Amino acid sequence: DKTIPGSKTMLHIETHCCNYGEDTNKLPCPDAIIFFNPGLSCPDYDWSKALSAASSYQQSSTPFLITTNTEMEGFADIKCLVDGGYVDSKELPKYVLETVDGETSSNNSRYNDDDDVEDEQNKKFFFCENPYAGLRVRQSGTMANDLYVKSRWVMGGLFQRGGGDGNVDMEKKKAKMVDKPKKKKRKESEERGSARKKRRKGESNPALI
């Protein structure tokens, strides 16, 4: 327990060593859930159990915050939340929904045309630069000539109760993302093998001409 500076409020922190979504029945209903750069759209991770657990509380919709390193990754994570049914698409601001769906609001069945400016400002979802992010710039290990700042972008909103009924299939997503690099590597390997055979036969090497 610790008193918050400048306040009489006592902050109580309790930690649990468990996998969220698997041992959730042991945990009390959270006041809020925070994900630090989870990579929801990354095929290497499967957050479906954790997200389903986060949206399964019947007492009320659970507030959440999610940080991402880049704006592009943030929009990809938002699409996973919407497609998975964890977030109500009607709570997304117009520009966010248009970006993740790749179409204008006039052609988008998930956007309510009756929303006016005031309703747009009262949406229960936001996505913006994180004002509390650090200043250290890092080199990306997955994308050439790309720099990023950890948790530079942040989104927040309410998990939709009963979420997880959307059309996100993590296994299909993984297979789709993982198969492509394998095919590319196989093709590159075949090309290198063919080049070695040509050199063995005494054919001229274009690189040396």
Side-chain angles (χ1 to χ4, degrees):
D1 293 341
K2 187 176 181 180
T3 303
I4 300 176
S7 172
K8 295 181 180 180
T9 303
M10 182 70 72
L11 178 64
H12 176 74
I13 298 178
E14 183 178 347
T15 61
H16 299 267
C17 183
C18 62
N19 292 324
Y20 201 83
E22 296 179 4
D23 305 311
T24 315
N25 57 336
K26 302 177 183 178
L27 305 178
C29 180
D31 296 313
I33 298 177
I34 303 176
F35 294 82
F36 292 100
N37 190 33
L40 302 180
S41 57
C42 178
D44 296 331
Y45 311 117
D46 185 354
W47 287 98
S48 55
K49 290 183 179 180
L51 291 172
S52 294
S55 56
S56 65
Y57 298 102
Q58 298 301 317
Q59 293 87 338
S60 62
S61 299
T62 308
F64 69 86
L65 287 175
I66 300 175
T67 67
T68 63
N69 293 341
T70 65
E71 183 181 23
M72 179 175 64
E73 183 183 3
F75 280 121
D77 285 357
I78 293 172
K79 183 170 178 59
C80 284
L81 292 174
V82 174
D83 289 348
Y86 305 110
V87 170
D88 186 356
S89 62
K90 294 183 176 60
E91 292 298 339
L92 268 65
K94 177 180 176 181
Y95 81 95
V96 173
L97 189 58
E98 287 182 348
T99 303
V100 299
D101 278 350
E103 57 185 353
T104 61
S105 58
S106 59
N107 299 323
N108 196 330
S109 59
R110 297 201 286 201
Y111 184 73
N112 187 0
D113 289 329
D114 294 331
D115 287 351
D116 55 22
V117 176
E118 184 177 354
D119 288 336
E120 187 73 7
Q121 294 174 345
N122 292 330
K123 296 288 187 180
K124 297 183 177 67
F125 187 95
F126 70 89
F127 178 51
C128 62
E129 290 188 59
N130 182 4
Y132 301 103
L135 299 176
R136 180 181 176 184
V137 179
R138 303 168 188 264
Q139 170 69 48
S140 172
T142 58
M143 188 178 297
N145 301 321
D146 183 53
L147 302 176
Y148 70 92
V149 174
K150 274 193 173 183
S151 298
R152 188 69 184 91
W153 294 81
V154 62
M155 68 187 76
L158 297 175
F159 279 121
Q160 183 170 241
R161 278 179 287 180
D165 297 327
N167 57 4
V168 171
D169 190 324
M170 297 301 293
E171 294 302 323
K172 289 183 179 179
K173 185 177 74 168
K174 287 182 180 180
K176 184 178 179 181
M177 297 294 290
V178 173
D179 285 346
K180 290 183 178 179
K182 287 185 177 179
K183 292 179 181 179
K184 185 177 180 181
K185 288 181 180 178
R186 190 181 299 116
K187 183 178 179 181
E188 292 175 349
S189 178
E190 291 174 355
E191 290 176 350
R192 286 196 296 269
S194 177
R196 282 196 295 268
K197 288 180 181 179
K198 288 181 179 180
R199 287 198 295 272
R200 288 171 185 170
K201 291 180 180 180
E203 296 184 13
S204 60
N205 186 348
L208 301 177
I209 297 176

